[in-house]
Amino acid sequence: MKSLLVRATLFFFLVFIISNSYTQALEKNLAPAIQHIDYKASPRPDRILLTLTENPSSEIMITWRTDGSVNKGVAKIARVTQHYDFYKKAIQKPSIIDEVTSIENENVCYHHVKFQNLEPDTFYAYSVGDGTYWSEWIQFKTSEKKFQKPFQFLYLGDAQNDIFSLWSRAIRGAFKKAPNARFAIHAGDLINHSQNNYEWGEWFEASSFIPKMIPSLITLGNHEYVKDSTGHKVGISNLWDPQFNFPDNGPKGFKDRTYYVDYLNSRFICLDSNKGIEEQSQWLEKVLKEHQQQWVVVFFHHPVISAAKGRVNTAVVTHWKPLFDKYKVDLVLQGHDHVYGRGNKVNSGLGEWNENLGTTYVVSVSGRKMYSLSDHSWMDKKGENIQLYQVITVDKNTLNFKAYTLDDVLFDHFELIKKENKANLLKELPLKE
């Protein structure tokens, strides 16, 4: 636990931020007058979240929240059997606690526990609490040790607005379509106002039990950042780091911002496209160069080439795209533009390197906020004013991509086929199941 001095320092720092740094009125970061969810912390564990570690076949990270009255936390885990009393063989592990003071002066404890030495390809159940209050027993499954059969994961673009009332349909629709998905990738802007605890509560309420059972891999959007009075990003929301505990394998100074996970035959690389783009490039080249996996998927928030009108992300184009081309990244997943765009002929226009190596880029949106499409020629498939979710199936030599609208219509469907010493073949597939 942090000392009283550290807690006081954090509180006064937040007061300074609130008083001097917001471009938006303070009330934008407070709960609305009419509240549709319970968002304040209590002694009961809530906002329970699974995240993958560097070893998905033998480890799992669990994070949850309580109010400040809980000065200890514990997680229990047991291998699932056919019998109801499997939990009697559970092992316990104390949590590491981070204390946070919210804008509303609420003292909250975030707990996290990493379980190690688990068996591959095995169902486990866990429960978190403090010895008095406990969560339900929640099941998940570790990955196989090596690739044996196709697996699925989910990809969702920005949630951001009307999260509880409207975005909930997207995450729940994705789960219904692919209940055995191994994890979910979120492309940033989970919320609209970075310090608004109510909006974070909406995200977890809308997701319901899904992030408790299916691990999340998430990148920072611009709305997870705090801005100063001139609109410049000055730091990440203090509600981010304690809640999201991703693998600590990124470049120095980018904890929970930049990381990678090797999942069976694929490497998944998360980047922060908000700040430090050039600084991340050296690390990015290293993890692209050294990987031994069949597939490489990179995800971040700001698109390489925008799919919406009036948007340019120059630093992403000039520093990252040459590396995607050089190392033949298979798939790049993005958000930010609040439209849908997909293509594999994304030309920067700079004429400085070979760009015809087949990387497929996708921009998507899962929330209700929408923009107008650009006329950029890179998009072979595009759409606007539609909420979507994506289900991606990874096999040995093929990657199947399906984008669905929320009325269960297949909107985009293609397959990437590996070709030895050549660019991937992108095969358009029928829009039917």
Side-chain angles (χ1 to χ4, degrees):
M1 301 283 282
K2 295 185 176 74
S3 68
L4 290 175
L5 177 61
V6 173
R7 288 168 58 183
T9 300
L10 286 172
F11 173 72
F12 285 114
F13 172 75
L14 283 171
V15 170
F16 175 81
I17 289 290
I18 293 165
S19 304
N20 298 286
S21 299
Y22 278 93
T23 56
Q24 297 169 318
L26 174 59
E27 56 265 24
K28 294 292 186 180
N29 286 279
L30 300 177
I34 298 175
Q35 299 166 16
H36 300 286
I37 63 168
D38 294 325
Y39 74 103
K40 291 291 188 72
S42 77
R44 300 176 185 87
D46 67 3
R47 301 191 187 179
I48 302 170
L49 182 81
L50 287 184
T51 50
L52 296 176
T53 73
E54 293 179 80
N55 302 295
S57 66
S58 61
E59 297 178 349
I60 199 70
M61 177 71 77
I62 308 168
T63 306
W64 71 98
R65 185 190 74 153
T66 64
D67 68 20
S69 70
V70 178
N71 58 15
K72 67 175 183 177
V74 64
K76 303 185 291 187
I77 194 167
R79 184 170 178 167
V80 173
T81 70
Q82 295 180 355
H83 302 287
Y84 76 92
D85 59 353
F86 69 93
Y87 61 86
K88 292 182 179 179
K89 294 184 178 180
I91 61 171
Q92 296 190 13
K93 190 171 183 178
S95 67
I96 297 171
I97 301 177
D98 296 303
E99 288 191 47
V100 175
T101 301
S102 73
I103 280 178
E104 296 168 293
N105 200 25
E106 180 189 17
N107 184 35
V108 176
C109 289
Y110 286 87
H111 307 252
H112 67 271
V113 168
K114 180 195 285 188
F115 281 108
Q116 300 170 298
N117 301 316
L118 305 178
E119 293 293 324
D121 196 21
T122 301
F123 278 108
Y124 285 89
Y126 71 93
S127 177
V128 299
D130 66 348
T132 301
Y133 295 102
W134 291 101
S135 74
E136 72 272 40
W137 284 94
I138 306 161
Q139 291 196 183
F140 71 95
K141 193 177 185 182
T142 54
S143 79
E144 304 91 327
K145 189 75 172 176
K146 296 181 179 180
F147 179 83
Q148 298 172 349
K149 58 186 177 182
F151 69 91
Q152 292 182 322
F153 68 93
L154 306 175
Y155 153 49
L156 295 106
D158 305 28
Q160 192 170 340
N161 300 90
D162 294 328
I163 305 164
F164 174 64
S165 60
L166 291 175
W167 179 74
S168 53
R169 302 179 309 135
I171 183 65
R172 297 175 191 184
F175 175 78
K176 184 178 179 181
K177 181 63 67 175
N180 293 316
R182 302 297 186 91
F183 52 88
I185 288 177
H186 297 265
D189 283 1
L190 278 62
I191 42 74
N192 196 27
H193 304 101
S194 62
Q195 301 291 78
N196 193 315
N197 193 29
Y198 182 84
E199 291 181 5
W200 286 107
E202 281 196 276
W203 192 87
F204 279 93
E205 190 73 19
S207 299
S208 187
F209 61 84
I210 298 167
K212 300 180 184 181
M213 297 178 61
I214 298 178
S216 298
L217 297 177
I218 306 174
T219 188
L220 280 156
N222 51 297
H223 285 267
E224 277 79 50
Y225 269 81
V226 179
K227 297 179 181 179
D228 65 18
S229 58
T230 65
H232 289 92
K233 297 164 189 168
V234 296
I236 302 168
S237 168
N238 71 317
L239 302 178
W240 176 268
D241 272 332
Q243 178 69 76
F244 301 107
N245 292 280
F246 299 116
D248 190 10
N249 55 17
K252 186 177 180 180
F254 288 81
K255 184 177 183 296
D256 294 327
R257 295 170 55 190
T258 302
Y259 58 91
Y260 72 88
V261 171
D262 288 338
Y263 197 95
L264 298 173
N265 65 342
S266 304
R267 173 160 286 190
F268 294 87
I269 302 171
C270 175
L271 300 169
D272 181 1
S273 58
N274 291 277
K275 298 186 73 173
I277 290 174
E278 187 172 358
E279 292 90 329
Q280 294 172 75
S281 297
Q282 184 175 359
W283 174 87
L284 173 61
E285 181 158 26
K286 180 178 182 294
V287 298
L288 288 174
K289 184 177 182 179
E290 71 182 13
H291 85 88
Q292 301 295 319
Q293 286 68 31
Q294 179 81 342
W295 298 97
V296 177
V297 178
V298 181
F299 60 102
F300 48 88
H301 187 61
H302 299 80
V304 167
I305 302 293
S306 182
K309 290 182 178 179
R311 293 189 161 209
V312 178
N313 305 308
T314 305
V316 175
V317 175
T318 56
H319 291 292
W320 291 352
K321 190 176 188 302
L323 297 177
F324 301 155
D325 294 331
K326 180 178 180 180
Y327 294 100
K328 300 180 177 60
V329 168
D330 298 293
L331 185 64
V332 175
L333 305 177
Q334 307 148 110
H336 190 59
D337 282 348
H338 299 265
V339 295
Y340 185 86
R342 183 264 295 174
N344 67 342
K345 298 177 180 64
V346 179
N347 194 301
S348 69
L350 300 176
E352 296 179 3
W353 58 84
N354 179 9
E355 299 184 273
N356 300 310
L357 295 173
T359 297
T360 298
Y361 295 83
V362 184
V363 177
S364 190
V365 56
S366 60
R368 68 93 176 152
K369 183 179 180 182
M370 300 294 166
Y371 292 159
S372 298
L373 272 166
S374 72
D375 57 0
H376 288 304
S377 60
W378 70 269
M379 290 178 283
D380 294 322
K381 180 71 176 182
K382 56 187 176 180
E384 61 185 355
N385 297 318
I386 45 175
Q387 287 179 262
L388 300 132
Y389 63 83
Q390 288 72 221
V391 179
I392 301 167
T393 305
V394 181
D395 206 339
K396 183 178 180 181
N397 294 309
T398 60
L399 187 151
N400 186 280
F401 186 106
K402 294 180 178 180
Y404 292 90
T405 57
L406 300 197
D407 56 350
D408 200 30
V409 173
L410 188 56
F411 178 77
D412 190 16
H413 188 195
F414 67 89
E415 190 168 68
L416 299 181
I417 303 171
K418 281 285 182 183
K419 295 289 184 179
E420 189 173 357
N421 299 321
K422 294 182 180 180
N424 293 336
L425 173 65
L426 192 154
K427 182 180 181 181
E428 302 277 358
L429 296 176
L431 296 179
K432 61 181 181 181
E433 297 290 352

